């Protein structure tokens, strides 16, 4: 169930027409996804988007606006809100902290993002 939705995580959420195509009602899809993942479809989708944004922040130099668009949040404001709610840091702070950890010669950041990379 999650695999099918995962293919569309960077596009629009599953449409009702798509669910009809695979002979699932919205209610059945929601129930099965909750059974499999323990979350609602909206929560699951947001977590997938946050995970994708994290990978982009870790591995690219894309602007926050481009990371937001590529991960399905649409706007940098939306990405910032979701990343702050999930990790407690801004996209820029996440990128700086992650990159400081990747470079052993870099001094750790003393700001609020230091050590704040685990989900809340």
């Amino acid at each position: 169930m999650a695999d099918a939705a995962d293919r569309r995580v960077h596009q629009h959420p599953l449409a009702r027409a798509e669910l009809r195509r695979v002979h699932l009602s919205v209610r059945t899809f929601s129930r099965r996804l909750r059974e499999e993942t323990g979350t609602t479809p909206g929560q699951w989708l947001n977590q997938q988007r946050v995970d994708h944004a994290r990978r982009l922040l870790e591995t690219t130099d894309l602007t926050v606006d481009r990371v937001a668009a590529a991960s399905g949040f649409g706007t940098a404001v939306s990405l910032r809100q979701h990343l702050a709610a999930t990790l407690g840091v801004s996209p820029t702070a996440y990128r700086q902290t992650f990159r400081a950890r990747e470079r052993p010669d870099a001094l750790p950041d003393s700001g609020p993002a230091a050590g704040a990379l685990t989900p809340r």
Side-chain angles (χ1 to χ4, degrees):
M1 186 69 47
D3 290 339
D6 189 46
R7 288 191 295 270
R8 293 167 186 83
V9 72
H10 309 299
Q11 302 170 3
H12 295 288
L14 289 174
R16 289 179 187 215
E18 180 69 13
L19 291 175
R20 280 193 303 272
R21 188 183 71 74
V22 295
H23 307 290
L24 281 177
S25 69
V26 172
R27 184 175 175 176
T28 300
F29 173 77
S30 297
R31 182 174 34 86
R32 288 186 184 171
L33 188 71
R34 183 179 281 278
E35 289 169 359
E36 188 175 319
T37 66
T39 64
T40 66
Q43 292 167 331
W44 180 87
L45 184 60
N46 281 333
Q47 186 57 52
Q48 298 305 305
R49 288 175 173 168
V50 166
D51 291 345
H52 186 63
R54 287 173 66 180
R55 284 189 297 275
L56 291 174
L57 291 167
E58 293 168 7
T59 61
T60 73
D61 290 323
L62 293 174
T63 65
V64 173
D65 287 322
R66 288 191 178 251
V67 170
S71 57
F73 286 112
T75 67
V77 171
S78 181
L79 171 59
R80 284 184 191 96
Q81 290 171 340
H82 283 91
L83 212 59
T86 305
L87 302 174
V89 297
S90 70
T92 302
Y94 179 84
R95 178 177 272 160
Q96 289 170 347
T97 302
F98 181 86
R99 292 203 174 157
R101 287 183 176 193
E102 291 296 305
R103 295 177 305 183
D105 60 321
L107 295 174
D109 184 9
S110 60
L117 296 182
T118 55
R120 290 184 175 187

